[in-house]
Amino acid sequence: MRRRDLLAAIGAASLAPGLTWADARDPAYVSAARHPDGSYRLCGLDRGGAVLFDLPLPDRGHAAAAHPTRPEAVAFARRPGRFAIVLDCARGVEAARLTPPANRHFYGHGTFSSDGGILFTTENDLDTLDGRIGLWDAANRYARIGDIPSGGIGPHEMVRLPGSETLVVANGGIATHPDSGRTALNLATMRPNLAFLTPDGQVRDLAELDPALRQNSIRHLAVRRDGLVAAGMQWNGPKGEDPPLVLLCREGGDRDLLEADPAAHRSLQGYVGSVSFTRSGSRVAVTSPRGGVLQVFDVARRALSAVLREEDVCGLSPAGADGILVTTGRGISGVFAGDTLAAPVTSVWSWDNHVIAVG
Amino acid sequence: MLRFVATCAALALPAATEAQTPSEIVVTALDRHVLPGYAALTEATGALAAAAEADCAAESLDLRSTYHTAFDAWMGVAHLTFGPAETDNRFFALAFWPDARGATPRGLSQLIANADPVVEDADAFATVSVASRGFYALEFLLYDDTVSAAGDPAYRCALVRAVTADIDLTAQTLRTDWEGEFAGLMRDAGTNDRFQSPEEALRLLFTSLDQGLEFTADLRLGRPLGSFDRPRPNLAEARRSGRSLQQVTLSLEALSELASILSAGQPELQAALAMAFDTALDRAAAVDDPVFAGVGDPLGRIRIEGLQVQVGDIRDITRADLGPALGVAAGFNALDGD
């Protein structure tokens, strides 16, 4: 799309008055989940992780994006799904449904421009298996308005640098095609990266891992207020190598790999499912649902500061100044502060990979 | 009948006339697999530590023989990575492998080069990196040409004694925790905070079986196999002491015993698993290559690959049939893969 149109679209959202998140029973978080009856829903959660409402999804979700001002949450289908549902969290209805172009599927994540005018979605181009970022006009019922290259293959999570329109995309590097399920088609040549993009598709910076770590798929992201990005990786190389799985990185700046002592590190089983900073930014948390473990690192000291073992733990989001909301596939949700899960809520829901803070 | 079966070989099938409850399966697994396994381990590690006290020389036949016996006993419980084994990283303190970055020889060489006095105190030694402790570290001290000859012999002797005493202490602590607390929590699952239901306790045992099979297929066999173009015989587990194939065989025997107990309420499934394990053990016996040195030789390789395929087949049965039969689905997120 043309840069001028794009910039016009960013900014349009602020013209639309209406309801706010306070009208949606004020959830603090949204998360996709599976109900015991087998149906999939998007749930709104309060600060302690208790369910406030749930809205139906056509199939299994993955992550969601919350509009910065309007009480709208976009639930993304699990890869290689072809739906994203905009839910009006005030009225409890579906507000819009996004379907990618015919030769595309979603990867399960997306994010809004700073004012909420544009929704960005990570997508797979099935003709080339190149990663793309889809652009949708949030001020115009989420009409598709174009797309840009993601800067790599297999884009997964995407965040926006605070106070800017720069998108940070975890290009996992793994080419897949729905015809062959989730089979990785390029393990021998994969080269993941972390791409810093302008919304009109210019690459501002590209962070790559050391060649020895090129089978470390960069998947999940969190960003601190000052622009420090934390990325969680998933190892696709030979088992038993146990490479580092957390990258700290700034646009154009230093790259640091974060890793606990060997025994604690191994408990991640080569797989990070979610990443989150605390709001204060002093700590960063990662989960491994395979290992059933949450690890919290002190960012300044680059050292492990707390561990929680909880079966099928995955979802993470900031809670208060220094806490982390944690969700599990076994229905547990609660705030991890200090080194314990305070007042965990046990529910019937299987919480899916990601829990998203709103408002 | 049960008592009779319990005295039979590991592969004997417990009789099953009707489906068992999750709670019954857990109790059987504790009484006939887990607790006897840890009792055997502590007996063997006690003998190991005593042998090192008596003669700490790397060539000591007594020390080497007790090392093998204790490592054999460890293989009976090495797949039980949950509960007391998670506390204080005890699992890794006994068994830090694979060691892709060479942390074990590096850590041991540093201790030796510095003649680190940490060996003088058991509590202090328990704070040493897990890579320098446990069976794999001891293997380097006894069998690695470089490490077993490095530095001052008197210091090496103290280090061997510290490592063996630490192995014994860790094993004893594991046994105490199992017998004193954790087995009780699993038995009473559903009436305590740790286990909200018997299924939760059963799931831990099922996961141990599944991950144990994965470990043997992907790491014990997969690491030395590498790729056809690049076989990696030097990555074989415990190759210095000639145990690589033995580790596979012992793990399959232990996992077979657990699988038999878990499937006791499903006679057909139990028979299918027993047959699959028997095939794998037959293939292991036919490998005739104790340290997988022949992974680069086409004929040798094919036998080891055939064994790996068979372990994968057992895992397929476990996941496709046993898990659903037990009602212990794997994690919603753990299985997701994104």
Short mmCIF file of all heavy atoms in Angstrom, two decimals, chain A residues 161 166-168 194-197 203-208 226-229 247-256:
data_model
loop_
_atom_site.label_atom_id
_atom_site.label_comp_id
_atom_site.label_asym_id
_atom_site.label_seq_id
_atom_site.Cartn_x
_atom_site.Cartn_y
_atom_site.Cartn_z
N LEU A 161 6.98 -1.46 19.19
CA LEU A 161 7.83 -0.78 20.16
C LEU A 161 7.02 0.36 20.78
O LEU A 161 6.42 1.16 20.06
CB LEU A 161 9.08 -0.21 19.47
CG LEU A 161 10.11 -1.22 18.98
CD1 LEU A 161 11.35 -0.49 18.46
CD2 LEU A 161 10.51 -2.20 20.08
N THR A 166 7.00 1.24 15.10
CA THR A 166 7.88 0.17 14.65
C THR A 166 7.37 -1.20 15.12
O THR A 166 7.11 -1.40 16.30
CB THR A 166 9.31 0.39 15.19
OG1 THR A 166 9.78 1.64 14.69
CG2 THR A 166 10.24 -0.73 14.73
N LEU A 167 7.23 -2.10 14.15
CA LEU A 167 6.80 -3.46 14.47
C LEU A 167 8.03 -4.34 14.67
O LEU A 167 9.02 -4.20 13.94
CB LEU A 167 5.98 -4.03 13.31
CG LEU A 167 4.69 -3.29 12.97
CD1 LEU A 167 4.13 -3.81 11.65
CD2 LEU A 167 3.67 -3.44 14.09
N VAL A 168 7.96 -5.22 15.65
CA VAL A 168 9.03 -6.19 15.85
C VAL A 168 8.42 -7.56 15.59
O VAL A 168 7.43 -7.94 16.22
CB VAL A 168 9.58 -6.13 17.29
CG1 VAL A 168 10.80 -7.04 17.41
CG2 VAL A 168 9.91 -4.71 17.68
N LEU A 194 14.82 -11.58 14.00
CA LEU A 194 13.94 -10.64 14.68
C LEU A 194 13.97 -9.39 13.81
O LEU A 194 15.02 -8.76 13.68
CB LEU A 194 14.51 -10.36 16.06
CG LEU A 194 13.62 -9.81 17.13
CD1 LEU A 194 12.43 -10.71 17.35
CD2 LEU A 194 14.42 -9.71 18.44
N ALA A 195 12.84 -9.07 13.16
CA ALA A 195 12.82 -7.97 12.20
C ALA A 195 12.15 -6.74 12.82
O ALA A 195 11.08 -6.85 13.41
CB ALA A 195 12.08 -8.39 10.94
N PHE A 196 12.80 -5.60 12.70
CA PHE A 196 12.23 -4.32 13.12
C PHE A 196 11.76 -3.63 11.85
O PHE A 196 12.58 -3.28 11.00
CB PHE A 196 13.26 -3.47 13.85
CG PHE A 196 13.70 -4.05 15.18
CD1 PHE A 196 14.60 -5.11 15.24
CD2 PHE A 196 13.21 -3.53 16.37
CE1 PHE A 196 14.99 -5.65 16.46
CE2 PHE A 196 13.61 -4.06 17.59
CZ PHE A 196 14.50 -5.12 17.64
N LEU A 197 10.43 -3.43 11.72
CA LEU A 197 9.86 -2.96 10.47
C LEU A 197 9.08 -1.66 10.68
O LEU A 197 8.45 -1.48 11.73
CB LEU A 197 8.87 -3.99 9.90
CG LEU A 197 9.33 -5.43 9.74
CD1 LEU A 197 8.15 -6.30 9.33
CD2 LEU A 197 10.45 -5.52 8.71
N VAL A 203 12.66 -2.33 6.34
CA VAL A 203 13.37 -3.03 7.41
C VAL A 203 14.31 -2.05 8.09
O VAL A 203 15.24 -1.54 7.48
CB VAL A 203 14.17 -4.23 6.84
CG1 VAL A 203 14.94 -4.92 7.97
CG2 VAL A 203 13.25 -5.22 6.15
N ARG A 204 14.06 -1.78 9.36
CA ARG A 204 14.91 -0.85 10.11
C ARG A 204 16.11 -1.58 10.70
O ARG A 204 17.20 -1.02 10.83
CB ARG A 204 14.11 -0.19 11.24
CG ARG A 204 13.00 0.73 10.73
CD ARG A 204 12.10 1.18 11.89
NE ARG A 204 12.84 1.82 12.95
CZ ARG A 204 12.99 3.15 13.06
NH1 ARG A 204 12.43 3.96 12.17
NH2 ARG A 204 13.68 3.67 14.04
N ASP A 205 15.90 -2.83 11.07
CA ASP A 205 16.99 -3.62 11.68
C ASP A 205 16.59 -5.09 11.60
O ASP A 205 15.40 -5.41 11.61
CB ASP A 205 17.20 -3.19 13.15
CG ASP A 205 18.45 -3.83 13.75
OD1 ASP A 205 19.33 -4.29 12.99
OD2 ASP A 205 18.54 -3.88 15.00
N LEU A 206 17.60 -5.94 11.51
CA LEU A 206 17.35 -7.37 11.45
C LEU A 206 18.34 -8.04 12.41
O LEU A 206 19.54 -7.95 12.20
CB LEU A 206 17.59 -7.85 10.02
CG LEU A 206 16.78 -9.02 9.48
CD1 LEU A 206 15.30 -8.72 9.51
CD2 LEU A 206 17.21 -9.32 8.04
N ALA A 207 17.82 -8.66 13.46
CA ALA A 207 18.71 -9.34 14.41
C ALA A 207 18.68 -10.83 14.11
O ALA A 207 17.62 -11.43 14.05
CB ALA A 207 18.27 -9.08 15.84
N GLU A 208 19.86 -11.41 13.91
CA GLU A 208 19.94 -12.85 13.66
C GLU A 208 20.77 -13.50 14.75
O GLU A 208 21.61 -12.86 15.38
CB GLU A 208 20.60 -13.12 12.30
CG GLU A 208 19.72 -12.72 11.13
CD GLU A 208 20.24 -13.28 9.82
OE1 GLU A 208 21.46 -13.17 9.59
OE2 GLU A 208 19.45 -13.84 9.05
N ASP A 226 11.00 0.78 27.52
CA ASP A 226 12.14 1.48 26.91
C ASP A 226 12.59 0.83 25.61
O ASP A 226 13.64 1.19 25.08
CB ASP A 226 13.30 1.53 27.91
CG ASP A 226 13.87 0.14 28.19
OD1 ASP A 226 13.23 -0.86 27.79
OD2 ASP A 226 14.94 0.06 28.80
N GLY A 227 11.81 -0.14 25.10
CA GLY A 227 12.16 -0.73 23.80
C GLY A 227 13.00 -1.98 23.87
O GLY A 227 13.34 -2.55 22.83
N LEU A 228 13.35 -2.43 25.07
CA LEU A 228 14.08 -3.70 25.18
C LEU A 228 13.13 -4.85 24.83
O LEU A 228 12.04 -4.95 25.38
CB LEU A 228 14.62 -3.88 26.60
CG LEU A 228 15.42 -5.18 26.83
CD1 LEU A 228 16.73 -5.17 26.04
CD2 LEU A 228 15.70 -5.39 28.32
N VAL A 229 13.55 -5.67 23.87
CA VAL A 229 12.72 -6.79 23.41
C VAL A 229 13.25 -8.09 24.01
O VAL A 229 14.48 -8.32 24.00
CB VAL A 229 12.73 -6.89 21.87
CG1 VAL A 229 11.96 -8.11 21.39
CG2 VAL A 229 12.15 -5.62 21.26
N LEU A 247 16.42 -14.41 24.22
CA LEU A 247 17.27 -13.37 23.63
C LEU A 247 16.77 -12.02 24.12
O LEU A 247 15.57 -11.74 24.08
CB LEU A 247 17.16 -13.45 22.10
CG LEU A 247 17.79 -12.34 21.28
CD1 LEU A 247 19.31 -12.43 21.34
CD2 LEU A 247 17.33 -12.43 19.82
N LEU A 248 17.68 -11.17 24.59
CA LEU A 248 17.35 -9.78 24.89
C LEU A 248 18.00 -8.93 23.82
O LEU A 248 19.17 -9.13 23.48
CB LEU A 248 17.89 -9.37 26.27
CG LEU A 248 17.23 -10.00 27.49
CD1 LEU A 248 17.89 -9.51 28.76
CD2 LEU A 248 15.74 -9.69 27.52
N CYS A 249 17.25 -7.96 23.30
CA CYS A 249 17.72 -7.29 22.09
C CYS A 249 17.08 -5.91 21.99
O CYS A 249 15.91 -5.73 22.37
CB CYS A 249 17.28 -8.18 20.92
SG CYS A 249 17.55 -7.53 19.30
N ARG A 250 17.82 -4.94 21.48
CA ARG A 250 17.26 -3.62 21.16
C ARG A 250 17.47 -3.35 19.68
O ARG A 250 18.43 -3.84 19.10
CB ARG A 250 18.00 -2.52 21.91
CG ARG A 250 17.65 -2.38 23.35
CD ARG A 250 18.51 -1.30 23.97
NE ARG A 250 18.48 -1.40 25.41
CZ ARG A 250 17.49 -0.94 26.16
NH1 ARG A 250 16.47 -0.32 25.59
NH2 ARG A 250 17.50 -1.10 27.46
N GLU A 251 16.59 -2.53 19.13
CA GLU A 251 16.79 -2.16 17.73
C GLU A 251 18.17 -1.51 17.59
O GLU A 251 18.49 -0.56 18.31
CB GLU A 251 15.70 -1.17 17.30
CG GLU A 251 15.87 -0.77 15.84
CD GLU A 251 14.83 0.25 15.38
OE1 GLU A 251 13.81 0.42 16.07
OE2 GLU A 251 15.06 0.87 14.33
N GLY A 252 18.97 -2.08 16.70
CA GLY A 252 20.29 -1.54 16.44
C GLY A 252 21.26 -1.69 17.60
O GLY A 252 22.35 -1.13 17.58
N GLY A 253 20.87 -2.45 18.62
CA GLY A 253 21.72 -2.50 19.81
C GLY A 253 22.26 -3.87 20.13
O GLY A 253 22.28 -4.76 19.28
N ASP A 254 22.68 -4.01 21.37
CA ASP A 254 23.31 -5.25 21.81
C ASP A 254 22.32 -6.41 21.84
O ASP A 254 21.14 -6.21 22.01
CB ASP A 254 23.87 -5.07 23.22
CG ASP A 254 25.06 -4.12 23.21
OD1 ASP A 254 25.57 -3.86 22.10
OD2 ASP A 254 25.44 -3.65 24.28
N ARG A 255 22.84 -7.61 21.66
CA ARG A 255 22.04 -8.82 21.79
C ARG A 255 22.66 -9.67 22.88
O ARG A 255 23.85 -9.93 22.87
CB ARG A 255 22.05 -9.62 20.48
CG ARG A 255 21.13 -9.05 19.43
CD ARG A 255 21.88 -8.29 18.36
NE ARG A 255 21.08 -7.16 17.86
CZ ARG A 255 20.85 -6.92 16.58
NH1 ARG A 255 21.35 -7.71 15.65
NH2 ARG A 255 20.14 -5.89 16.23
N ASP A 256 21.81 -10.08 23.80
CA ASP A 256 22.26 -10.88 24.93
C ASP A 256 21.44 -12.14 25.00
O ASP A 256 20.23 -12.09 24.90
CB ASP A 256 21.97 -10.11 26.23
CG ASP A 256 23.21 -9.51 26.82
OD1 ASP A 256 24.31 -9.83 26.32
OD2 ASP A 256 23.06 -8.73 27.76
#
